[in-house]
């Protein structure tokens, strides 16, 4: 059987992609609620709300900069997660389709490299569709999904549990940019951190190394046999990138603007998202696609206790999506403690799936 990843899933990002340029990576440990789906009673467990004081302060701090930013994690409220799922099916957005084709074509070889019976941990699990195919193929007995979009994750984990009844499924509500406490009783042997979708590209390189190091730490000792399976988006012709991040039907534009509506709810601001234009372009010097929101006219945006003026044409930077060559990414992996890797790409070398070991 080949490893067949469902085409219509929201990749792991969603919550994982989250990182605005210059945003801070908090090291403050916050205990995270674990929702175990092993028993029906546990399915009703509550998850923690977002939008606390620290979060409001961080958002306002980003908006108050000379070059204002909103972290890409604010794309992913309920509407944003749905819009992202739509993006993954757009003809211009090659990422999901090409990654899936690599899993289909090289599924046996990938599965042989990873080995059977892995304990799968997926940061930014989203709708868990990719995990479903992987856990099925690897005969995994344990799955831990981590995501910031908690309702989305709970529903997805429940569906996964229904489809693969032998799999012990646990969902952790959390922001993967913060330290995550895994369940105490999670087996230490053969852990596999699964991070598909090229979400790692939504972090600044230094932050990516930090995140990869956290993933490395989740695997325990090198002798425990743990590894990382990760997707990265490779450099490619600019017109392909341009179309993928500024699609003709305007879904990515709506996805970008939705961050303003989400921020309004979190900090009580009065952004009118219709007064902002989506802009995406490739920054060749940094090898990344950047997304911005451009003010259509001069305006004041207020929030409780403050606000700021935006002049026409001023931009809010909402996302970077780094396009790494294999060599450059291998250096980041090494820095994070992964010394060996094997990779698979598509015919056009647009995307790579990498299996890395400490
Ligand atoms: C989630 N992440 C990998 C996507 C990307 O391609 O960087 C997010 C996205 N932004 C615009 N379209 C998709």
């Amino acid at each position: 059987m080949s490893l067949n990843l469902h085409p219509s899933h929201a990749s792991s990002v969603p919550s994982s992609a989250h990182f605005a340029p210059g945003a801070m990576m908090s090291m403050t440990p916050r205990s995270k609620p674990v929702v175990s789906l092993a028993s029906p009673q546990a399915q009703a467990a509550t998850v923690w709300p977002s939008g606390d004081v620290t979060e409001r302060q961080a958002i306002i701090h980003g908006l108050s900069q000379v070059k204002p930013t909103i972290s890409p994690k604010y794309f992913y409220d309920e509407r944003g997660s749905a819009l992202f799922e739509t993006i993954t099916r757009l003809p211009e957005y090659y990422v999901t389709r090409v990654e899936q084709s690599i899993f289909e074509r090289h599924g046996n070889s990938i599965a042989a490299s990873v080995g059977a019976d892995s304990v799968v941990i997926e940061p930014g699990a989203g709708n868990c569709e990719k995990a479903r195919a992987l856990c099925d193929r690897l005969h995994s007995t344990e799955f831990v999904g981590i995501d910031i979009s908690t309702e989305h994750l709970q529903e997805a984990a429940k569906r996964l549990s229904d489809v693969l009844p032998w799999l012990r499924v646990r969902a952790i509500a959390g922001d993967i940019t913060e330290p995550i406490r895994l369940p105490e009783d999670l087996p230490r042997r053969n852990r596999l951190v699964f991070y598909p979708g090229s979400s790692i590209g939504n972090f600044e390189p230094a932050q990516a190394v930090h995140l990869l190091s956290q993933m490395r730490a989740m695997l325990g000792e090198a002798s425990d046999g743990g590894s990382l399976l990760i997707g990265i988006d490779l450099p490619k012709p600019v017109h392909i990138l341009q179309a993928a991040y500024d699609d003709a039907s305007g879904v990515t534009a709506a996805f970008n603007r939705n961050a303003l509506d989400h921020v309004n709810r979190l900090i009580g601001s009065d952004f009118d998202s219709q007064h902002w234009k989506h802009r995406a372009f490739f920054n060749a010097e940094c090898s990344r696609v950047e997304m911005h929101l451009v003010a259509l006219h001069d305006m004041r945006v207020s929030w409780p206790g403050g606000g700021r003026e935006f002049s026409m044409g001023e931009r809010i930077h909402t996302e970077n999506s780094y396009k790494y060559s294999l060599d450059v990414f291998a250096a980041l992996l090494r820095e994070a403690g992964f010394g060996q890797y094997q990779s698979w790409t598509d015919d056009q070398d647009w995307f790579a799936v990498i299996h890395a070991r400490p």
Side-chain angles (χ1 to χ4, degrees), residues 218-277:
M218 287 180 185
L219 302 177
E221 302 300 320
S223 57
D224 290 328
S227 58
L228 167 71
L229 188 62
I230 189 165
I232 62 159
D233 197 18
L234 302 171
K236 58 187 59 61
V238 173
H239 71 277
I240 303 289
L241 293 169
Q242 188 67 47
Y245 290 84
D246 194 4
D247 61 278
S249 43
V251 182
T252 309
F255 173 71
N256 197 7
R257 278 195 211 100
N258 180 61
L260 297 177
D261 298 326
H262 189 195
V263 161
N264 279 345
R265 288 198 307 280
L266 292 171
I267 68 167
S269 50
D270 59 0
F271 279 104
D272 183 338
S273 55
Q274 291 315 307
H275 294 179
W276 294 80
K277 185 176 157 35

Side-chain angles (χ1 to χ4, degrees), residues 124-143:
N127 68 10
C128 298
E129 288 291 340
K130 290 181 185 179
R132 180 171 89 172
L134 186 75
C135 292
D136 197 9
R137 179 65 183 79
L138 299 177
H139 309 293
S140 309
T141 51
E142 298 259 0
F143 173 77

Side-chain angles (χ1 to χ4, degrees), residues 294-315:
V294 185
L296 289 175
H297 54 81
D298 293 352
M299 64 180 92
R300 177 170 176 82
V301 175
S302 304
W303 49 79
R308 72 167 282 171
E309 315 289 331
F310 289 95
S311 41
M312 189 171 88
E314 201 170 348
R315 303 192 306 214

Side-chain angles (χ1 to χ4, degrees), residues 11-18 72 75-76 84 87-88 93-95 196-202 233 244-245 252 255 278 289 291 319-323:
S11 86
S12 61
V13 182
S15 335
S16 353
H18 332 115
F75 289 146
Y76 303 100
F84 183 71
I87 288 174
T88 64
Y93 193 74
Y94 59 86
V95 174
S198 76
S199 299
I200 195 72
N202 295 125
D233 197 18
Y245 290 84
T252 309
F255 173 71
H278 168 65
V289 174
M291 296 213 314
E319 188 182 61
N320 289 324
S321 191
Y322 280 85
K323 309 303 167 190

Side-chain angles (χ1 to χ4, degrees), residues 27 205 281 288 311:
M27 293 303 293
F281 59 88
R288 69 188 190 202
S311 41

Side-chain angles (χ1 to χ4, degrees), residues 26 35 52 56 69 89 100 108 152 183 193 316:
S26 165
V35 181
D52 58 18
R56 281 202 298 274
T69 61
R89 294 191 290 266
Q100 189 198 352
N108 288 340
H152 207 60
V193 172
I316 303 178

Side-chain angles (χ1 to χ4, degrees), residues 60-115:
I60 290 168
H61 178 77
L63 288 173
S64 307
Q65 300 306 300
V66 178
K67 291 188 172 178
T69 61
I70 292 177
S71 166
K73 72 172 146 190
Y74 298 114
F75 289 146
Y76 303 100
D77 61 355
E78 211 181 320
R79 177 160 183 264
S81 298
L83 284 167
F84 183 71
E85 290 215 29
T86 307
I87 288 174
T88 64
R89 294 191 290 266
L90 290 172
E92 297 98 325
Y93 193 74
Y94 59 86
V95 174
T96 314
R97 207 174 42 250
V98 174
E99 183 184 47
Q100 189 198 352
S101 76
I102 297 171
F103 276 108
E104 279 169 4
R105 183 152 169 201
H106 301 288
N108 288 340
S109 162
I110 294 170
S113 177
V114 171

Side-chain angles (χ1 to χ4, degrees), residues 40-63:
Q41 295 93 318
Q43 289 169 21
T46 39
V47 288
W48 287 8
S50 59
D52 58 18
V53 179
T54 323
E55 183 172 45
R56 281 202 298 274
Q57 283 170 345
I59 296 170
I60 290 168
H61 178 77
L63 288 173

